[in-house]
Amino acid sequence: MDIDKPQAIKSVNPVTGALTEYRVPSSDEINATVRDARESFDSWKELDLEDRSGYLGQIRDVMVGELDWIVGEITEDTGKVDVEALMSDVLPTVEIINYYEKEGPDILGREKRKTPFYLRQTESYVEYDPLGVVLVISPWNYPLQLSMIPTISALMAGNTVILKPSEVTPLTGKLSEEIMKRAGLPENVFQVVQGGGEVGSQLIDAGPDKVFFTGSVETGKKIARQASDQLIPVELELGGKDPMIVFDDADLDRAVEGALYGAFSNAGQICVSVERCYVQSGIYEEFVESVTSRTMELTVGTGRDADIGPIISPHQLEVIEEQVTDAVDKGARLLTEMKRNGNFFYPQVLVDVDHSMKVMTEETFGPLLPIKRFDSESEAIELANDSRYGLNSSVWSSDVRRAERAVRKLDVGNSFINDVVKNSGNPYLPFGGAKQSGIGAYHGPEGLKAFSRRKSVMVSRGRGKEPNWFPYTGGLYDVLKRLIRTLFGEPGPMEKVKNYVSLFRELG
Ligand code: NAD
């Protein structure tokens, strides 16, 4: 697409098919946006941490005061069911705003560190400075949460932010802009630039100080390659193929309900959804039977009482159908009726699956639950780790020690014992992927430091000349030898005391 001139993008409501047109800025306008963000950075970074926390409070107030409006805009944009928008888009966002509002100033405050003995007239500390202009590029599946959480974190750390929301969900990008406006954020501290991949790419060329990207592995790799030309730091929150391991001693009914929620909430369009389920032989038959009958009871539709909404991005429907066909062609059995109504894809349970099938190896991003039997703990771990991804995982057992032992052996960034998905919304824990699921982490204290440049500072209170300064002498050599032996060797207690006394005298 030639974006020298302003263009328009169209977003389609997956339920009604209604089209909304959005204007995509020209190249000049994109460069001007980055310039404006840089200018506003000069004053935003000077605010003290309490003032920035105050702005977070104002954003929280606007959101909590306008829940139905926010849910309405998200559902208009995505078609997702109301509970999903409120529970998984709004709640984790408000939760993290509240956490950083309260604890952000402490997390980002000056951090005292120790100083070595031979520099004992000196103090050490770390300060966290903002980076500058942060570019947040977000996907369509949780359009509010996945753009607002990195944005809030970057703002609290003193950066200005440009958000490029997914072209599939521009209305939620507009919504974020409106929330920030109502919260009274100073001009150009937060800006939204609508458009697709080309606009994202041009924003990277304009030289932000960090790119925070959430999306697919393929796009993540492109962004990392492009950003490396200017050595722009990149954080990547990418896809997953999350395993759920259910041991014989798990609470069966709870595990069945957990599998349904993990695989089918948000119609399976979650990076941390249950994408592969491994069930131990002793309970396999009962688990499969129960999951299948419960799957058929789920309600597909819209509004407040439906469980499963539409597939938000139409391209995804083809991916899901292709994975089912590939699995069935290779010997899998579908236990539910394969049904589709417009953009609504009914949830499906598959068995007799193996790792030659796409449904067990490639991210689905749809309501499919493939289930595979295993016999031993080591077999379950081997199957779970047989993936290029390593985002989330869950392990189910009534013996928490056994589950913890399994978790230790999983090559993943996150794990939940006896529950699913919601661990990604815990504001106190860092969240990020292993292997090709990403680089870096946000949420928790790490989530503010990810948007900061740490500066290590030492302050000397010494007077006159330091003992290590010139001239070098044989005497200094002897002192250093004694120092190393005393600090890091094993002299007897008497010798140690004697050495310390002389070192104190000689080092000043
Ligand atoms: P995507 O990679 O297609 O697009 C994501 C964003 O990148 C969009 O805003 C898009 O316009 C932009 N983009 C595309 N090409 C670009 C380029 N060359 N330069 C700059 N920007 C570009 O992903 P999607 O389909 O929107 O989202 C689904 C994917 O996101 C899934 O793989 C899912 O697992 C992943 N995801 C990961 C997490 C996580 O936290 N790890 C969370 C949600 C979704």
Side-chain angles (χ1 to χ4, degrees):
M1 182 168 73
D2 171 14
I3 51 174
D4 283 342
K5 295 193 185 71
Q7 310 267 337
I9 47 167
K10 289 191 179 88
S11 119
V12 189
N13 178 307
V15 178
T16 61
L19 284 180
T20 319
E21 247 188 48
Y22 284 86
R23 191 176 161 280
V24 173
S26 67
S27 308
D28 286 349
E29 286 167 324
I30 288 172
N31 290 332
T33 304
V34 178
R35 263 198 319 273
D36 290 346
R38 213 166 274 300
E39 268 170 34
S40 60
F41 173 64
D42 288 341
S43 48
W44 182 250
K45 72 173 179 203
E46 293 303 329
L47 288 186
D48 65 32
L49 288 162
E50 295 300 338
D51 288 341
R52 293 208 290 262
S53 149
Y55 277 109
L56 261 52
Q58 287 166 218
I59 298 167
R60 178 181 44 72
D61 280 347
V62 170
M63 290 187 69
V64 174
E66 297 281 4
L67 293 174
D68 290 338
W69 167 60
I70 294 172
V71 166
E73 295 294 297
I74 298 171
T75 54
E76 168 78 29
D77 208 15
T78 60
K80 65 169 73 179
V81 296
D82 294 14
V83 171
E84 197 61 58
L86 188 63
M87 177 174 63
S88 306
D89 253 319
V90 179
L91 176 62
T93 307
V94 179
E95 175 92 75
I96 212 149
I97 295 175
N98 183 56
Y99 166 56
Y100 285 152
E101 184 191 339
K102 296 208 166 84
E103 298 192 26
D106 274 350
I107 295 169
L108 291 168
R110 181 181 288 188
E111 220 176 81
K112 279 198 100 174
R113 295 287 174 96
K114 287 184 179 172
T115 308
F117 168 78
Y118 47 90
L119 291 166
R120 65 189 192 292
Q121 305 249 34
T122 308
E123 283 166 17
S124 307
Y125 61 86
V126 179
E127 276 189 341
Y128 293 96
D129 295 341
L131 298 166
V133 177
V134 170
L135 171 62
V136 173
I137 301 178
S138 57
W140 46 263
N141 61 327
Y142 285 106
L144 186 79
Q145 186 211 142
L146 297 172
S147 47
M148 282 290 266
I149 293 182
T151 294
I152 292 292
S153 315
L155 290 175
M156 182 65 215
N159 306 280
T160 53
V161 174
I162 297 171
L163 166 68
K164 208 248 7 113
S166 168
E167 62 275 34
V168 181
T169 49
L171 196 56
T172 313
K174 188 103 188 66
L175 170 68
S176 314
E177 204 170 27
E178 185 59 32
I179 291 170
M180 299 303 198
K181 207 161 119 199
R182 291 191 191 184
L185 234 65
E187 205 182 6
N188 297 331
V189 163
F190 173 73
Q191 300 175 86
V192 176
V193 176
Q194 301 279 8
E198 304 80 4
V199 171
S201 170
Q202 191 168 5
L203 280 161
I204 298 170
D205 275 344
D209 299 288
K210 171 152 186 162
V211 180
F212 185 97
F213 171 76
T214 308
S216 61
V217 172
E218 287 62 35
T219 309
K221 286 180 181 174
K222 274 191 216 161
I223 287 176
R225 275 195 292 270
Q226 189 184 345
S228 70
D229 271 351
Q230 298 182 67
L231 279 184
I232 299 170
V234 172
E235 180 148 350
L236 303 174
E237 297 289 339
L238 309 177
K241 189 73 196 167
D242 300 349
M244 170 176 182
I245 298 174
V246 188
F247 286 115
D248 277 344
D249 63 350
D251 174 338
L252 186 75
D253 292 342
R254 182 177 162 81
V256 165
E257 293 303 318
L260 293 180
Y261 178 76
F264 302 142
S265 56
N266 208 36
Q269 301 160 106
I270 317 184
C271 57
V272 291
S273 65
V274 170
E275 292 245 337
R276 313 174 267 155
C277 189
Y278 302 102
V279 183
Q280 202 161 16
S281 307
I283 55 163
Y284 176 81
E285 305 293 348
E286 211 183 329
F287 182 93
V288 169
E289 198 180 305
S290 184
V291 154
T292 308
S293 68
R294 285 286 295 116
T295 298
M296 294 197 268
E297 288 166 16
L298 297 173
T299 321
V300 177
T302 55
R304 298 231 163 135
D305 299 318
D307 301 311
I308 300 177
I311 299 303
I312 301 168
S313 170
H315 154 76
Q316 207 55 34
L317 285 159
E318 290 159 34
V319 174
I320 302 165
E321 273 173 346
E322 198 209 320
Q323 287 197 2
V324 175
T325 309
D326 172 73
V328 171
D329 285 351
K330 289 174 180 161
R333 268 186 308 131
L334 199 55
L335 300 184
T336 38
E337 188 197 349
M338 174 106 150
K339 203 169 143 193
R340 194 185 141 179
N341 179 10
N343 288 333
F344 291 91
F345 197 96
Y346 284 67
Q348 307 295 327
V349 179
L350 291 128
V351 291
D352 298 343
V353 289
D354 62 44
H355 285 208
S356 72
M357 300 169 185
K358 290 179 182 171
V359 76
M360 295 300 276
T361 53
E362 292 177 14
E363 188 176 41
T364 307
F365 238 56
L368 302 185
L369 178 57
I371 309 174
K372 183 168 173 51
R373 182 199 299 260
F374 72 88
D375 291 314
S376 66
E377 190 175 313
S378 58
E379 185 190 357
I381 304 291
E382 202 173 308
L383 286 165
N385 282 339
D386 180 25
S387 173
R388 71 171 171 145
Y389 295 103
L391 192 56
N392 206 8
S393 56
S394 70
V395 178
W396 297 70
S397 166
S398 53
D399 178 354
V400 171
R401 285 182 155 211
R402 174 193 209 185
E404 284 177 343
R405 189 174 62 220
V407 165
R408 270 199 299 279
K409 294 179 186 154
L410 293 177
D411 301 331
V412 294
N414 315 278
S415 204
F416 207 159
I417 292 173
N418 293 328
D419 201 346
V420 288
V421 174
K422 296 194 296 280
N423 56 331
S424 63
N426 180 350
Y428 306 100
L429 279 180
F431 177 82
K435 300 200 265 188
Q436 293 202 20
S437 287
I439 297 175
Y442 69 143
H443 301 189
E446 292 83 351
L448 290 184
K449 291 178 181 167
F451 293 103
S452 309
R453 183 182 301 114
R454 107 217 136 258
K455 189 182 282 161
S456 299
V457 181
M458 293 178 71
V459 183
S460 172
R461 312 248 176 248
R463 297 221 178 123
K465 205 158 91 56
E466 288 293 317
N468 63 303
W469 294 353
F470 299 131
Y472 289 169
T473 61
L476 177 59
Y477 185 87
D478 289 342
V479 170
L480 287 171
K481 235 165 78 179
R482 230 174 323 121
L483 175 85
I484 292 169
R485 281 200 190 127
T486 308
L487 293 179
F488 311 114
E490 290 179 350
M494 283 309 289
E495 192 189 343
K496 201 165 188 157
V497 171
K498 210 175 103 208
N499 282 353
Y500 269 120
V501 171
S502 66
L503 284 167
F504 265 112
R505 201 179 53 241
E506 284 152 341
L507 292 174

